[in-house]
Amino acid sequence: MASDHYFSSEPSSAERPRRITVTLAGRSVELNTAGGTFSPDHLDTGTAVLLSHTPPPPPGGDFLDLGCGWGPIALTLAMLSPHARIWAVDVNQRSLDLTRRNAAELGLENVIAVTPDEVPDDVTFRTIWSNPPIRVGKNELHGLLQRWIPRLDERSDGWFVVARNLGSDSLQRWLAAEFPTGYSVHRAATSKGFRVLRVRRHGSTPTDTIVLP
């Protein structure tokens, strides 16, 4: 396998910048993409499935796009929830630059494109939307999910799209086993060979039981 992937920090492949037209949040937009990023020529099918099978995000709060690429998920979240703060996270510096440029062109000031370590430790998320980097390897993928899912706010959902032939069902089983207490994991949708998995973090009991005299 080649050493340069879309999940490399500094891709060595030629940048080959290009412009593509996609529809996000019901709006046709022209965006910047480049080689050395995920799906630079079009909106990939998995992301399209996620965007079309996930309910609208909350009106505000901190959101996470885990593995933002050139930004289609983060940009969608920013357009749907202009009062939210969208953390677009990736290790690929070229992807982060493209996401920043695309957000600026669309006038979306609520997108923050950063590396994972640049997200403050005290930030928790009202929602997570992600087309996670499955090809990074099982151990690395599990590590990502173990790091970020516990940062969901109580009574909040994470939405993850995974191809069926790349292990969506086994990942669902792993998630259920990894987060057995205080969480629930469900298959929310199936479309075009992809599963959308919903991870719900449940709330703790808000008050103690009232004991009457």
Side-chain angles (χ1 to χ4, degrees), residues 34-51:
T37 64
F38 177 61
S39 190
D41 295 314
H42 62 281
L43 182 68
D44 71 284
T45 302
T47 297
V49 167
L50 178 71
L51 296 179

Side-chain angles (χ1 to χ4, degrees), residues 134 138 141-142 162-175 193 195 197:
I134 295 296
K138 183 179 292 186
L141 174 65
H142 289 177
V162 183
R164 187 171 53 206
N165 65 350
L166 293 179
S168 61
D169 294 345
S170 62
L171 181 63
Q172 181 179 350
R173 291 190 294 270
W174 177 84
L175 286 166
R195 313 280 205 207
L197 305 179

Side-chain angles (χ1 to χ4, degrees), residues 175-199:
L175 286 166
E178 182 67 21
F179 300 99
T181 303
Y183 296 84
S184 58
V185 181
H186 301 284
R187 182 189 305 161
T190 298
S191 179
K192 300 179 181 178
F194 288 84
R195 313 280 205 207
V196 177
L197 305 179
R198 175 191 181 188
V199 180

